Amino acid sequence: MNTDLFSLQGRTALVTGASSGLGNHFARVLADAGARVVVGARRVERLESLVNDIQAAGGEAHAVAMDVTDGDSVTAAFESAEAVFGHVDVLVNNAGVADPKWFVDIDEASWDFMMDTNLKGVWRVARECCRRLIDAGKPGAVVNLSSVLGLGVQGMQSHYSASKAAVAHMTHAMASELWRYGIRVNALAPGYFKTEINADFFDSEKGQQYVKRIPPRRLGTLDELTGPLLLLASDASSYMSGVVLPVDGGHLWGSL
Ligand code: NAD
């Protein structure tokens, strides 16, 4: 049996939105699995301690400035990544935003902000990565961040839900086109994990009540995303593409 199934030795991974939350955790996990890790965020100074931690643990990491809503910044980030570590062959398309609002209160600016980051940003970064892999004749693995809200709905999240459902379906379409190049494309659909994106809600009384509706009656912990991420990023999923994997404590199939 191959016990190194989840190894990322020799790979270069790029994580967008790595300055906090899930992205910060993903970068550490990928480095622990042996990948050289490029961490991207708009504020590079927020990445310093992450890079230091990874290096102190014996890993390799490089920080790049990256705004996923700006094509030039995405191209520059890949140039920098390649110059330091070579081709990015594992992409974790993690950057995302939320802006809870009732459907009738969403204005054009909020709609555009949501779609430009959560959907167009994922497209923009994945296209850059895949073009470069195809030109180099190299295989790769893309992991997009969808959400349980891309598969189900919740009040005040209609534009967020629409963006994450689009990411899920774009994952299906990308998988169908890119297998021929040896590029697999899957998505994680996390349930609820407390990070900067939702901390205010889960610290509130309403948020605490909401948690009781999740079958385990608790939020997920970042460690509970480690296995699912490594599965999709590594050769352990060599025959999987187009999968949108819920990691949600069974929340989607909770009792009505
Ligand atoms: P977070 O707010 O801690 O992290 C999001 C990161 O994306 C931040 O570092 C932010 O700076 C970055 N970002 C936002 N806009 C960007 C831009 N234009 N360019 C570059 N980076 C940008 O929240 P999180 O919970 O860690 O979210 C990570 C991803 O997981 C998001 O896509 C989110 O939608 C998704 N998700 C989170 C949960 C959850 O419960 N936390 C559940 C489902 C899906």
Side-chain angles (χ1 to χ4, degrees):
M1 196 178 81
N2 178 7
T3 50
D4 281 340
L5 212 50
F6 298 92
S7 169
L8 294 174
Q9 210 69 44
R11 309 278 164 89
T12 296
L14 187 148
V15 183
T16 67
S19 56
S20 62
L22 272 50
N24 183 292
H25 176 70
F26 291 153
R28 294 168 195 270
V29 167
L30 296 167
D32 281 350
R36 298 174 290 261
V37 181
V38 182
V39 289
R42 289 165 296 183
R43 291 155 298 177
V44 190
E45 64 283 358
R46 284 191 67 173
L47 297 169
E48 261 168 37
S49 63
L50 173 61
V51 168
N52 288 340
D53 286 356
I54 291 174
Q55 289 171 341
E60 291 182 80
H62 170 60
V64 290
M66 189 183 211
D67 180 343
V68 302
T69 66
D70 173 352
D72 289 343
S73 129
V74 170
T75 304
F78 274 84
E79 292 290 337
S80 170
E82 273 180 27
V84 178
F85 286 152
H87 279 94
V88 172
D89 44 17
V90 174
L91 169 64
V92 183
N93 233 332
N94 166 80
V97 291
D99 188 21
K101 280 185 169 47
W102 295 113
F103 176 75
V104 289
D105 295 330
I106 296 171
D107 56 19
E108 297 262 348
S110 175
W111 179 268
D112 290 345
F113 167 66
M114 188 68 59
M115 293 301 164
D116 202 19
T117 309
N118 289 8
L119 177 57
K120 206 169 171 189
V122 166
W123 161 77
R124 201 177 269 121
V125 177
R127 186 186 61 164
E128 186 74 34
C129 182
C130 293
R131 279 181 172 172
R132 287 168 185 265
L133 285 174
I134 292 166
D135 286 349
K138 287 179 156 249
V142 176
V143 181
N144 294 326
L145 262 292
S146 179
S147 165
V148 284
L149 288 174
L151 305 168
V153 297
Q154 188 193 322
M156 299 186 83
Q157 300 288 355
S158 57
H159 55 349
Y160 180 84
S161 265
S163 73
K164 293 295 183 181
V167 167
H169 208 39
M170 190 168 71
T171 299
H172 301 144
M174 287 171 67
S176 131
E177 285 193 27
L178 292 164
W179 186 275
R180 78 193 70 167
Y181 301 109
I183 301 173
R184 298 181 300 100
V185 187
N186 294 292
L188 288 172
Y192 290 95
F193 295 79
K194 189 168 150 186
T195 65
E196 287 177 21
I197 215 169
N198 54 27
D200 289 348
F201 177 65
F202 287 117
D203 285 340
S204 72
E205 182 55 35
K206 215 171 150 196
Q208 294 293 314
Q209 288 303 320
Y210 183 83
V211 168
K212 294 187 181 143
R213 288 161 51 186
I214 305 171
R217 297 170 80 83
R218 65 169 175 84
L219 299 172
T221 64
L222 294 183
D223 274 345
E224 290 170 315
L225 286 164
T226 299
L229 173 75
L230 284 180
L231 169 67
L232 300 185
S234 71
D235 292 345
S237 57
S238 59
Y239 202 60
M240 290 170 68
S241 197
V243 170
V244 178
L245 183 65
V247 185
D248 67 340
H251 195 173
L252 272 172
W253 295 110
S255 169
L256 288 178

